[in-house]
Amino acid sequence: MHILSSSGSTPCQVDDFNIHVENFLELLKEGIHSIESKQSSGPRFKVENFFYEELIDSYHFPLDGASDKETMADLSQIIEGSIRPQSNNAVYNMVPQPLPETQAAASLMLLYNVNSIMDTYGGKSLLFEQLIARFIGKLVGWDKAFGTSCSGGKVTLLYAIKSAISRICPTYINQGVTQDLVILTSEGAHYSIEHVCEFLGLGRQSVVRIPISSSNGLSNSDLTDAFLTQIKNGKRVAAIIACGGTTLDFVCDNTETIFSTVEEIVKNHHLDYTPYLHLDSVIGWLWFSLIHDAQDFFDRFETPQKVIGKLKQVTDKFSSIHRFDSLGVDFHKNALCPYSSSFFITNEAQFPKQKSHLAYGDLVAFTHTIENSRSAAGIASAWAALNSLGLNGLRNYLCQLLESAQKLKECFDEQENIAVLNHSSCGWEVIFNFKSSHDLVDIYSANGLHEGFYQFITSKVQKGQDIPSISIITNFRRHYGSELGHGFIYYNMRTKLNSDECETIIGEILKLIVEYENEVRMGYFLIENVSFIDPIK
Ligand SMILES: *Cc1c(COP(=O)(O)O)cnc(C)c1O
């Protein structure tokens, strides 16, 4: 046997894989033990502040290597400061505690070191990838959907815009991108679109953001105006990236509005191209599960009317999704999968065309993926989620999250000093604000007090305290021209919250507000020192 390090780690030999597996499981347990012994509660692992350059500069890997156990013990520091989704108080963003089977599935792909670059290396992972894509495709009426597993929603946007450029400008493949292309999207769409366009050589300025006045997204007239302005400027609209639900306020375009507006412009202006239509449904895809046969499901599971109303508002907007070219799915956001498990799904099969019947062994991914080596973990976990939840499991998960939100909002609203700001949202996030005490408002601004509260909460959470990791959205709905001031976000990911649990949650928040205001009064917490950065949502 090879002795790699003086501390005795050895590479695995073929015939001692059983020993390897035992070792692997042992080390996993060791790692879990080290991490869990740090902390057993709180929405974030405790972390001390540090300066990057200082730590990086003084760090040394052990010259002779360390034992595997020491390695696991030292590695456990990596978790410090991260979100603990297993905590009920982890309400910072859409970060669920994944199902054990999805985590086991991803871990197995690591254990067996599967590379989804092509059939030869990937086992049947490329087949499983297409099983997932076809399932999602069928939900929206795409019979021959084709999917690409990738490392995040941002990469689904990259694939979408790349597909759009290839369609409108086929010479792009060899000669690069022309200067006359623009991408239309709304003010509410994800902030990464500009960055994606930068990567693709279109440049950030190719993104034209169209204002919206509500979470219902783009209007026919605003989209038309924006499109015609681009035509007048000699530009071609390569793609429209429609919102299919966002983290906050669930901004969702109407697919029929987008499709028919575009169709009309193409016809009336005799355009020799049709813009590529992508739905950024990395969150909203879960609603696809209720496009068909929803009523049977609602009847069988006695879904509350209010929840049904919210669900229908969304599924109605997806009525023309079958006319879109592609969509995105983030299984790590709302399908109980670990990071990262995203799919870019197109509405027609894009199997390599050389052969009429692709047989096992023929399929390659690297000809169309941004990665060459490609982990199978995302595919395995997405498959495990779909297999263990089933369609009704997905539907139930969605309904139960919305039911929790409904209960929470009602409970928040019963409080005198608290107001829910996002009753109209179709998502399950709860956004609220509170009235600060008069004596403090006389000294500090309302926004200043709210920013201070966010900072107050954040520093407690960072110290490992077990309180809700509430975050802030500055000037909520400013995109729509509203002036609601700052809102606090309680991003609940617990299903089936009952009234008692809601009472406990609000009680804790009220207690924190009182504590905060007292500390401000006593001068223990200084609003003047609050340095404020908008959290990324
Ligand atoms: C989260 C999100 C993205 C980015 O997805 P990642 O998985 O973080 O890369 C894109 N669009 C929307 C609407 C999102 O919510």
Side-chain angles (χ1 to χ4, degrees), residues 148 150-151 155 158-159 199 365-366 368-374:
T148 305
C150 58
S151 62
V155 182
L158 181 96
Y159 280 126
F199 270 120
F366 64 84
H368 62 271
T369 54
I370 183 151
E371 297 111 329
N372 207 58
S373 295
R374 197 166 63 115

Side-chain angles (χ1 to χ4, degrees), residues 208-271:
V208 177
R209 294 234 174 207
I210 306 167
I212 49 174
S213 55
S214 79
S215 60
N216 285 323
L218 291 167
S219 68
N220 169 296
S221 59
D222 289 341
L223 178 55
T224 304
D225 289 351
F227 203 138
L228 296 186
T229 305
Q230 294 309 318
I231 294 177
K232 214 181 296 163
N233 292 344
K235 300 282 187 183
R236 292 187 296 159
V237 176
I240 296 178
I241 307 293
C243 288
T246 55
T247 323
L248 300 178
D249 222 23
F250 206 84
V251 178
C252 190
D253 287 310
N254 188 317
T255 53
E256 173 54 27
T257 307
I258 306 273
F259 176 78
S260 55
T261 307
V262 169
E263 191 182 41
E264 200 175 289
I265 294 173
V266 168
K267 203 174 93 204
N268 292 348
H269 294 264
H270 312 290
L271 299 184

Side-chain angles (χ1 to χ4, degrees), residues 152-154 157 190 192 245-247 280 282-283 330 332-333 342:
K154 183 173 179 178
L157 292 164
H190 200 256
S192 63
T246 55
T247 323
D280 184 6
V282 295
I283 293 175
D330 272 1
H332 54 257
K333 279 199 177 124
S342 296

Side-chain angles (χ1 to χ4, degrees), residues 26 41 50 75 78 98 114 119 173 187 328 398 413 439-440 454 472 488 510:
E26 187 58 36
S41 64
F50 62 85
L75 174 71
I78 201 171
V114 179
D119 281 344
I173 292 172
E187 205 62 74
L398 172 58
D413 251 356
D439 59 320
L440 294 176
Y454 169 62
I472 194 169
F488 293 99
L510 291 171

Side-chain angles (χ1 to χ4, degrees), residues 38 56 71 114-115 136 161 255 264 267 281 302 308 326 332-333 335 361 381 414 453 477 487 503 536:
K38 287 177 188 296
I56 295 167
T71 297
V114 179
N115 180 358
I136 301 286
I161 298 174
T255 53
E264 200 175 289
K267 203 174 93 204
S281 53
E302 298 178 2
I308 295 177
S326 59
H332 54 257
K333 279 199 177 124
S381 59
E414 279 168 18
F453 184 63
R477 292 185 176 163
E503 297 288 341
I536 285 183

